[in-house]
Amino acid sequence: MSINLQKGQKVNLEKNGQSVQKFVVGMGWDVNETDSGQGFDLDASAFMLAENGKVLTSNHFIFYNNLTSPEGCAEHTGDNLTGAGDGDDESIKIDLTKAPANLASITFVVTIHDAENRRQNFGQVKNAFVRVYDPTGNEEILKFDLGEDFSIETAVEFGKIYKKDGQWKFEAIGTGFAGGLQKFVDKYC
Ligand SMILES: [Ca+2]
Ligand SMILES: [Ca+2]
């Protein structure tokens, strides 16, 4: 059964008491096109971080121009340009059996492409969520609905997975920032 998380909540990445190694992180959103009159493109990205909070290498910043990490631990399934429709709009497959030994965490973010020029922000985004599911059988393990408490943010950290005492856990974050994707590049790269 899927767990619905609250902001700040942390849970073990497990199913029926067994840790889950291969899963998909799906992220979704809907936008109110009429607010800006321009195309509204949100992008999911992942930063694969070492203990010091920086990406392992520049190739461990997973986004629409770098879809796969070198060892195949993370794979972005592709850029969605509209966010139209229910369900995941962009997703990133994770295989922890291929995780580099020094991988400490992976943080998942969603940012608005060209937000400043298009005068767009997360106040115009609704139904944002991040979920983790097991692709075999499409079984959802956890889900975090971010709620609608955003206004001027153009970059939101949806959640992260991290290793603690050998166990991988998921944390529901839902924290927004100004500055778009560059904000996270500056922080993690
Ligand atoms: Ca996109
Ligand atoms: Ca959508």
Side-chain angles (χ1 to χ4, degrees):
M1 205 177 89
S2 178
I3 306 172
N4 279 303
L5 298 180
Q6 304 295 318
K7 183 169 174 152
Q9 201 175 344
K10 301 165 186 172
V11 291
N12 287 342
L13 271 172
E14 60 184 22
K15 191 177 73 176
N16 305 325
Q18 300 287 314
S19 64
V20 179
Q21 301 284 312
K22 298 180 186 185
F23 51 88
V24 180
V25 178
M27 287 158 272
W29 50 80
D30 293 318
V31 294
N32 199 342
E33 295 279 350
T34 54
D35 279 2
S36 73
Q38 296 199 60
F40 213 125
D41 180 14
L42 275 70
D43 298 316
S45 309
F47 294 85
M48 301 174 68
L49 306 176
E51 200 63 58
N52 67 2
K54 298 288 183 185
V55 286
L56 300 177
T57 73
S58 58
N59 293 324
H60 291 91
F61 164 34
I62 308 302
F63 70 119
Y64 52 81
N65 272 342
N66 178 42
L67 294 174
T68 311
S69 69
E71 66 298 301
C73 175
E75 181 189 347
H76 194 306
T77 62
D79 189 14
N80 174 304
L81 297 175
T82 67
D86 293 337
D88 304 340
D89 292 304
E90 295 190 11
S91 42
I92 298 173
K93 294 185 203 168
I94 301 294
D95 182 351
L96 291 175
T97 67
K98 296 179 178 172
N102 56 343
L103 180 69
S105 65
I106 307 176
T107 192
F108 299 90
V109 307
V110 176
T111 54
I112 303 174
H113 180 68
D114 201 20
E116 208 160 305
N117 284 331
R118 300 186 194 182
R119 297 171 185 276
Q120 296 169 337
N121 59 57
F122 267 88
Q124 300 154 301
V125 176
K126 56 188 179 170
N127 305 330
F129 70 85
V130 54
R131 70 189 191 108
V132 171
Y133 69 94
D134 180 349
T136 54
N138 197 20
E139 191 181 347
E140 189 169 280
I141 297 163
L142 61 87
K143 186 174 183 188
F144 169 41
D145 286 306
L146 276 73
E148 317 244 331
D149 53 348
F150 296 110
S151 55
I152 59 165
E153 296 87 348
T154 54
V156 175
E157 193 155 7
F158 274 37
K160 72 173 181 182
I161 65 169
Y162 64 102
K163 193 159 59 174
K164 190 173 186 211
D165 303 329
Q167 165 71 48
W168 284 91
K169 303 179 75 131
F170 181 93
E171 179 177 354
I173 297 179
T175 301
F177 305 90
L181 184 56
Q182 189 63 42
K183 168 75 186 178
F184 293 119
V185 172
D186 292 344
K187 184 175 178 186
Y188 294 126
C189 296

